[in-house]
Amino acid sequence: MSRCRPLPLLAAVFVGTSGVSGQDTPPGPTQHFADVPALSPVTDSMLHTPDPGDWLSWRRTLDAWAYSPLDEIDGDNVADLALVWTRPLAEGFNQEGTPLVHEGVMFMPNPLDVIQAIDAGTGDLYWEYRRPLPDDLEEHFIIFAGTNRNIAIYGTSVIDTSSDDYVFALDVRTGALAWETRILDYRAGALQTSGPIVAGGKVISGRGCEPAGGPDACIITAHDAATGTELWRRRTIPAPGEPGDETWGGVPFEERHHVGTWMVPSYDPELNLVYVGTSVTSPAPKYLLAGNDEAYLYHNSTLALNAETGEIAWYYQHIVDHWDMDHPYERILLETAVAPDPGEVMWINPDLEPGERRRVMTGIPGKTGVVYTLDRETGEFLWARPTVTQNVIADIDVTSGQVTVNPETRFTAVDQERLVCPGSGGGKNWPAGAYSPRTGLMYFPLQQACQMVTSTLEEPAPERSLYGIDTEFEDPPGGRRGTIQAISVETGRTAWEFEQEARTFSLVATAGGLVFGGDADGRFRALDDRTGEVLWEVNLGAPVLGFPISYAVDGKQYVAVSIGGPANTLFVFALPD
């Protein structure tokens, strides 16, 4: 039985784009309304072990846990949660921002490179930065949404990657531009829908790469966080003479396209390794490249990069793709006993000693919805299991970890149809999961869906079709539905599953025993982290596309989340005083 409350009246109403009523706004990209209080410079140590009330990175910590140690809001009182302030966000398709909070100041990314500094306790606006963008920006991208999922904070700067292919830093107190560095020419470059992390003083960022940019647009970069100086760039498509070149079957280098890294990396400071996932090739069906027997590295892979040099320490390829099943999503880093349950885990490395402790990289990295657990120092395959209906992976070699694609789902010529589950929308997509050390469970927003996929090209033609396929939704067995699944990091068992018709979105776990998350119908909920019982729910009126967080100001815990749609809006909840 769920315990729900109606949405209370808004605690404050803000007028105008700036959010300040009756005040003239000065010209220029930064509009300044009040001074930000003096903030402690953010250090590497703070990024790895934030103050309990702060949220300093995309998933709070660079291991991608999305776990808040705050416990004022718990299962006994969450039904009293009420809206305390709200703020309109900038217009733009796909509002998917993640707030950062440092010492009571919130920094909120909006669509189209708008960033706001806000009093995290009251919702009052300190400053707003609106990056000037080229008028012809949309003409140079196949799909341009202006999405801005996350930003970083380091030292006294807020750092982001822009829609026009720069990386830039703003002064945290004033919003003034501190530095900017061009990465690529946006006219034949990359789509930077997610922002960076900071690892050891380096701004690490990935991007989705347009075919027009060629293989040199498919890069991960590192910049000095203090100056913006580029330190290294790593291509995700090998050139002739480089390791992996042989896996492209002789496809000319300039015709290798679209292996992007459009989500956010994770980072292990002890190993000094950055973990980032990659996307599919363009086109997707491999008969259009050099045939179905090549691997085409490093698409649909996990890359472990040396943070100092950008060199690939190891890689693991999750699947050779033919249907647009990207694998760029969050990689969760933790130490755990590894004892996969053969009753629920389909693929287990036979050399694994059950119960041995490992530093692992785990989670659901791609659209197949398959959980992979790898040794994060070596990339050794430990175990994997599906979570949703899937028919694209026929088998995984449990010793080597090599994945075999179901031949019945591959294409060999134009105009062929294949029923593919979960489909290009993914069993898992960009909405991120969370991990709780309280329970040893990781929580994932997933969906059951299939597609009928048709190959459409006789030869590669990215100007006509990015992926070379057409898709049409098909219901899987049991019907299309959204789920949240709780899975043990130690055993791989499913502890509980919450199901509904609407698609589920990003999650956050808290020390109060709660998992917060929203859905496509506008419902934002708190679930019990051990049972999945819905304990509190409100309807925010539009898809809950933003990444939720929990933070504290003056000892009081808040939960923040944003919606996207006709009116992009940020909502903040807390217990009554």
Side-chain angles (χ1 to χ4, degrees):
M1 179 71 67
S2 61
R3 291 180 273 169
C4 308
R5 292 175 60 91
L7 189 64
L9 293 175
L10 303 187
V13 177
F14 300 91
V15 180
T17 302
S18 70
V20 177
S21 176
Q23 180 171 338
D24 293 334
T25 56
T30 302
Q31 303 169 14
H32 182 265
F33 303 104
D35 291 335
V36 172
L39 301 176
S40 303
V42 174
T43 64
D44 292 300
S45 175
M46 292 163 70
L47 289 177
H48 302 310
T49 312
D51 181 272
D54 280 359
W55 193 283
L56 297 182
S57 296
W58 175 53
R59 307 305 287 151
R60 187 174 182 271
T61 45
L62 296 175
D63 48 22
W65 284 14
Y67 174 77
S68 169
L70 301 174
D71 61 3
E72 177 192 3
I73 303 168
D74 59 27
D76 292 330
N77 60 28
V78 68
D80 297 325
L81 210 58
L83 184 67
V84 293
W85 62 263
T86 186
R87 172 164 290 284
L89 303 174
E91 294 181 358
F93 178 58
N94 281 8
Q95 196 307 109
E96 299 167 8
T98 311
L100 300 185
V101 177
H102 179 42
E103 296 179 347
V105 179
M106 176 182 290
F107 300 93
M108 180 66 192
N110 291 229
L112 292 167
D113 301 338
V114 175
I115 299 174
Q116 297 168 329
I118 305 166
D119 185 312
T122 67
D124 294 334
L125 188 66
Y126 291 119
W127 54 256
E128 179 177 275
Y129 171 83
R130 289 178 170 263
R131 183 173 179 81
L133 295 173
D135 292 337
D136 65 344
L137 198 61
E138 295 188 46
E139 299 175 13
H140 298 284
F141 295 96
I142 295 172
I143 301 173
F144 179 76
T147 308
N148 193 13
R149 294 188 180 93
N150 71 291
I151 53 181
I153 184 170
Y154 190 75
T156 57
S157 295
V158 173
I159 305 171
D160 198 5
T161 50
S162 69
S163 297
D164 57 346
D165 287 347
Y166 280 74
V167 58
F168 65 94
L170 306 176
D171 182 272
V172 295
R173 297 204 65 185
T174 67
L177 185 67
W179 56 256
E180 64 175 11
T181 302
R182 191 173 85 161
I183 299 173
L184 291 161
D185 184 343
Y186 73 88
R187 291 168 293 185
L191 196 59
Q192 300 188 140
T193 56
S194 295
I197 63 168
V198 176
K202 299 175 182 65
V203 181
I204 310 292
S205 63
R207 55 212 34 89
C209 42
E210 297 288 301
D216 287 327
C218 300
I219 54 172
I220 305 152
T221 59
H223 293 79
D224 185 286
T227 66
T229 302
E230 184 174 310
L231 302 174
W232 53 257
R233 61 175 59 197
R234 160 58 51 190
R235 252 187 293 100
T236 54
I237 296 176
E242 294 178 346
D245 170 54
E246 72 284 355
T247 68
W248 282 79
V251 174
F253 179 60
E254 63 275 11
E255 296 177 14
R256 304 174 185 182
H257 299 307
H258 199 257
V259 180
T261 51
W262 53 271
M263 284 300 290
V264 189
S266 302
Y267 176 59
D268 181 334
E270 293 183 5
L271 297 175
N272 200 28
L273 292 178
V274 173
Y275 303 88
V276 63
T278 62
S279 74
V280 301
T281 62
S282 171
K286 298 304 180 280
Y287 77 88
L288 289 165
L289 296 173
N292 289 335
D293 295 330
E294 305 291 348
Y296 306 96
L297 295 175
Y298 294 94
H299 90 283
N300 275 17
S301 299
T302 294
L303 302 181
L305 304 180
N306 183 307
E308 194 65 31
T309 65
E311 294 299 312
I312 299 175
W314 58 260
Y315 74 90
Y316 177 87
Q317 188 170 44
H318 297 276
I319 192 170
V320 175
D321 175 78
H322 304 260
W323 332 267
D324 180 27
M325 290 215 188
D326 286 358
H327 276 68
Y329 309 132
E330 71 277 7
R331 270 71 175 162
I332 298 172
L333 311 180
L334 50 87
E335 182 176 338
T336 181
V338 182
D341 180 356
E344 291 203 36
V345 177
M346 185 174 296
W347 298 290
I348 302 173
N349 189 326
D351 296 331
L352 186 64
E353 292 290 336
E356 67 176 290
R357 293 196 68 81
R358 292 282 194 113
R359 290 187 293 180
V360 304
M361 185 210 77
T362 188
I364 301 179
K367 292 181 181 178
T368 60
V370 172
V371 178
Y372 291 86
T373 296
L374 309 177
D375 184 291
R376 74 171 183 263
E377 183 172 5
T378 65
E380 178 187 9
F381 174 83
L382 301 179
W383 61 265
R385 57 153 292 198
T387 59
V388 297
T389 301
Q390 75 85 24
N391 69 346
V392 294
I393 295 176
D395 198 12
I396 299 178
D397 184 301
V398 292
T399 300
S400 68
Q402 183 170 351
V403 175
T404 299
V405 173
N406 176 5
E408 295 182 359
T409 63
R410 300 190 302 187
F411 304 99
T412 58
V414 69
D415 294 330
Q416 292 178 339
E417 283 190 339
R418 301 288 185 263
L419 178 63
V420 172
C421 302
S424 60
K428 169 81 165 63
N429 208 303
W430 59 263
Y435 165 71
S436 171
R438 247 180 56 91
T439 61
L441 300 174
M442 45 189 173
Y443 308 90
F444 295 109
L446 304 170
Q447 57 182 339
Q448 298 278 6
C450 297
Q451 283 184 334
M452 188 64 71
V453 185
T454 305
S455 56
T456 60
L457 299 177
E458 294 182 356
E459 58 184 21
E463 70 280 359
R464 287 172 45 208
S465 175
L466 179 61
Y467 300 118
I469 55 176
D470 280 342
T471 59
E472 184 177 342
F473 277 111
E474 296 278 339
D475 284 343
R480 200 182 316 168
R481 59 195 186 277
T483 75
I484 297 173
Q485 294 188 31
I487 298 171
S488 168
V489 298
E490 179 177 344
T491 67
R493 296 190 201 104
T494 298
W496 55 261
E497 182 173 1
F498 170 82
E499 288 191 324
Q500 61 176 29
E501 290 188 7
R503 180 179 176 183
T504 54
F505 290 124
S506 299
L507 306 173
V508 60
T510 75
L514 303 171
V515 176
F516 289 93
D519 67 24
D521 285 346
R523 295 180 181 86
F524 186 55
R525 300 183 177 94
L527 291 81
D528 184 285
D529 64 0
R530 296 191 186 277
T531 67
E533 179 188 1
V534 176
L535 303 178
W536 171 82
E537 178 180 287
V538 296
N539 194 324
L540 301 180
V544 187
L545 297 178
F547 296 85
I549 71 165
S550 187
Y551 64 92
V553 179
D554 296 330
K556 183 178 182 66
Q557 184 180 357
Y558 298 83
V559 177
V561 72
S562 57
I563 62 170
N568 298 328
T569 308
L570 176 65
F571 295 89
V572 176
F573 301 88
L575 295 173
D577 292 329

